[in-house]
Each structure stands twice: as structure tokens, then as C-alpha cells.
Amino acid sequence: MPLDAVCLSGVVRELRETILGLRLEKVQQPARDQVVLTLRGNKKLLLCAGASQARIHLTAAVRENPAAAPMFCMLLRKHLGSGKLLRAQQQGLDRILRLVFETVNELGDKVETSLVCEIMGRHSNIILVDQDGKIIDAAKRVDFVTSEVRQVLPGMSYTPPPAQSKKSLLEISPQKMAAAIRTGRDIPLWKAVLEQGEGLSPLVCREVSAFVCGPADLTPSQLTPQQMERLTFFLGTVSTALGEGCGTPTLVRDPAGKYVEFSYLDLRQYPEGYEIQHLESYSALLDCFYEGKDSRERMRQKTAQLHKSLVTLRERLARKLTHQRQELLETGER
């Protein structure tokens, strides 16, 4: 599943406890959509803007870097330098994290430079913003051809993505959220929860439905008073997970041993044979879940490149062989 806003809030708590106040020692860019920031004490922070693997967390994995640093990496080194990480900010339940560094500009003055990590599926991005709110550059530039709604280009003012018209458990009570779900569209319960709740992933919404309805696929209008009470109770559990130190980093492994999902809840919607594993931190959770996917993706890319090279070489040799056979026929009677 993609990283949801509640898991991201858990990551933010961990970052505030472990790396705030540390100075940046190294900036690397293993891939176009990945940046690794190494802070004092060998704390490695991964920012990934991949379409299916967007995330941010502390990592222990070692990644291979290109021989020559990409331009965006060089720009990050120039503007962030040995800056000190001052703040890690998440606005509400948006999947946007702003890392604010104290750096020194060309005149020797102390300024605040931000690195914004937007975790939004195929629209994910890593954006460098100066103290005046102007975009210095981004891992993925978005021009007017790519998007007519929101552009991300150097020199433009940074504006966050448009907010969704959903309700946040940070702002309203579980009782009001349950009432909004009841009076909303009469669609399957998990879809109704997803439609109303900000920052709730499809996985969590299915967990809500499994807790309230069991295997039945009910709509909000079909819920009994007792089921409405269960809905309110479970929404209260999710609200509590947003509190300090709450939530349980949880991995789900299928019978073949492959990690299939992760969450901040103790998931119960999976049948027998699936293993539920609890980890000590959200960074360890994301590192464990995505490292296998990264390895498979890197292997797939290398396999595709090797296959393409072999096909090209084979076609080239076939053309040479055809040419030489034709030349042999033409010179056969000499």
C-alpha cells in the first residue's frame, strides 16, 4: 500500500526524536527520484518520489550511487551544504513533509532552506524551496504541458497541492466523522469512509469495514445502531493512533513469505496463513517493506537493459551476416 498520512505522522515523530538539530554531512542521489541525506552520527534519511514507492524515512540500506552526481544532487549540496535540520513539519493529514534547514547563503547570512517531500503517487516530488518560498529546483519539473493545474518550475512560488474536501480526525470527533459517513453517499462502507476521511488509506478503510460489518459488504444506511457504535469506536482508535507515541508499526506477510501490506493498526482482515509482524519503528517498517520491492525493481530494470543490449547485438550481427552472405554470392565466380 502507499504510505498514508497517519503512518507519515509516525515517521515525523521519529524524525523529531532522532535527527532534529543534526548537521547534514552528505547528499547523494542514487536514482532520479531518490535522495539520501546523511546527517551527523551516520543517520541516513531517504526521500523517494517514485510513483509506486514514494516515502520518507530513516534507512539502514546501502544504495549504489552513479559515478557522476546528477544536477539536482549538486544543487542540493550547494544550497543545503552542512546545514542544520531545524524542523520536520507535516500540515494536518496531508502527505507532505517539509524539512527546514538552517544554511548560510552566498553573503554569509543564515537563512532557512526547505526540502519538501510530496508523497502523492505518480505526482510525488522532491522540491527545494528558498526562505522566500521560491522554488530553486525539483527532482521532477512540472511544466504547463504536463499539468495545467499546478506547475513546479525554478523561480515560481511554491504552493502546496490543492486540498481535498475531506474531514480530518485531527479536527472533528469520531462521533461527528461517523455521522458524516452515515449521511454521505450510500456506497459500500469502506468506500464511504475513504470518501469522507482525510489521510485514511484504502487498507485502513477496509479494516474499518471488516471490524464493523465482518465479511458483509454493507452500506452506511444498512448499519444497525450497534454497528454504528463499533464504527465510532474504531474511528476513535484511528484518532488515538495520531497521538504521541501511539499506533503500532505492523507488517503483513503472505503464506509465501512476501510482505504485502503495512499499517499503524493491528490488522485483522487477513485470513489464516498470513503472518502479522510488529516492528519497533515506522522507519524500520518502511525499510523492511520497500527494500525487497526496490531489489526486485532494480533487478527488473537491469534485466530489461541486458535483454535490450542482447537483442540489439543479435540484430546487428544478423545484419552483418546477411551482408557478408550477399557479398559472398556476388564474388563467388571471381
Side-chain angles (χ1 to χ4, degrees):
M1 73 169 242
L3 175 64
D4 66 10
V6 185
C7 280
L8 180 60
S9 69
V11 173
V12 173
R13 288 198 299 269
E14 293 174 2
L15 298 185
R16 289 170 179 166
E17 293 170 358
T18 56
I19 63 175
L20 283 193
L22 300 183
R23 290 203 174 272
L24 185 63
E25 294 184 339
K26 190 185 298 182
V27 179
Q28 296 170 308
Q29 191 176 357
R32 176 177 176 266
D33 55 11
Q34 289 186 2
V35 171
V36 178
L37 306 177
T38 303
L39 295 104
R40 186 162 296 170
N42 199 33
K43 304 285 188 180
K44 294 184 178 181
L45 181 63
L46 171 68
L47 289 77
C48 179
S52 61
Q53 303 181 37
R55 65 200 189 274
I56 176 170
H57 59 89
L58 294 169
T59 180
V62 178
R63 287 169 171 79
E64 184 178 348
N65 292 287
M71 289 298 297
F72 185 62
C73 180
M74 298 296 290
L75 198 68
L76 292 178
R77 291 174 180 175
K78 174 185 176 182
H79 287 275
L80 297 181
S82 57
K84 180 194 294 185
L85 181 59
L86 297 180
R87 298 187 296 278
Q89 302 170 330
Q90 180 189 11
Q91 182 175 347
L93 286 179
D94 284 335
R95 291 186 296 166
I96 302 172
L97 179 61
R98 180 186 288 261
L99 302 173
V100 182
F101 291 86
E102 181 186 73
T103 60
V104 178
N105 63 14
E106 296 174 349
L107 300 177
D109 300 324
K110 290 185 178 180
V111 296
E112 291 187 357
T113 306
S114 301
L115 195 58
V116 182
C117 187
E118 299 180 347
I119 303 172
M120 303 181 302
R122 61 188 181 90
H123 300 294
S124 300
N125 209 341
I126 303 170
I127 306 170
L128 185 64
V129 181
D130 67 15
Q131 66 173 353
D132 299 320
K134 299 290 186 181
I135 297 173
I136 301 174
D137 209 344
K140 303 176 185 177
R141 293 185 179 182
V142 181
D143 57 19
F144 292 90
V145 176
T146 307
S147 173
E148 296 181 357
V149 178
R150 176 175 178 258
Q151 294 76 44
V152 180
L153 294 171
M156 298 182 68
S157 296
Y158 173 77
T159 56
Q164 294 180 313
S165 57
K166 294 185 177 184
K167 299 170 180 63
S168 170
L169 283 169
L170 291 174
E171 299 172 354
I172 67 172
S173 66
Q175 290 80 5
K176 290 184 178 179
M177 178 70 80
I181 293 170
R182 184 65 178 258
T183 57
R185 288 204 303 157
D186 201 32
I187 53 180
L189 180 60
W190 76 270
K191 292 184 179 180
V193 176
L194 183 65
E195 191 173 82
Q196 295 290 335
E198 181 184 16
L200 303 181
S201 67
L203 173 69
V204 172
C205 295
R206 291 194 298 269
E207 187 71 15
V208 172
S209 180
F211 180 83
V212 174
C213 312
D217 193 15
L218 302 179
T219 64
S221 66
Q222 296 173 319
L223 299 182
T224 65
Q226 292 77 17
Q227 288 173 325
M228 284 299 300
E229 289 180 5
R230 290 174 65 85
L231 174 61
T232 303
F233 173 80
F234 199 91
L235 291 173
T237 302
V238 176
S239 180
T240 303
L242 293 168
E244 198 70 30
C246 296
T248 304
T250 303
L251 272 174
V252 181
R253 186 155 43 186
D254 67 12
K258 178 183 175 182
Y259 292 118
V260 292
E261 292 287 5
F262 65 88
S263 183
Y264 52 90
L265 300 172
D266 194 5
L267 301 173
R268 303 177 184 276
Q269 61 184 276
Y270 290 93
E272 291 186 9
Y274 282 77
E275 179 185 351
I276 306 299
Q277 179 181 352
H278 299 141
L279 283 82
E280 70 279 4
S281 70
Y282 285 98
S283 288
L285 171 80
L286 296 172
D287 219 15
C288 186
F289 181 82
Y290 281 108
E291 189 53 35
K293 293 185 67 175
D294 283 347
S295 298
R296 290 191 296 272
E297 180 62 19
R298 287 194 297 269
M299 182 63 69
R300 187 193 65 78
Q301 291 178 355
K302 289 182 178 180
T303 301
Q305 292 172 357
L306 180 60
H307 182 264
K308 182 179 178 181
S309 298
L310 289 173
V311 169
T312 302
L313 182 60
R314 182 177 181 274
E315 291 176 350
R316 187 182 302 154
L317 290 174
R319 287 195 300 269
K320 284 184 178 181
L321 184 58
T322 301
H323 178 72
Q324 289 176 353
R325 284 173 174 167
Q326 182 64 29
E327 187 178 6
L328 182 62
L329 288 175
E330 295 173 355
T331 59
E333 298 180 356
R334 290 186 182 178

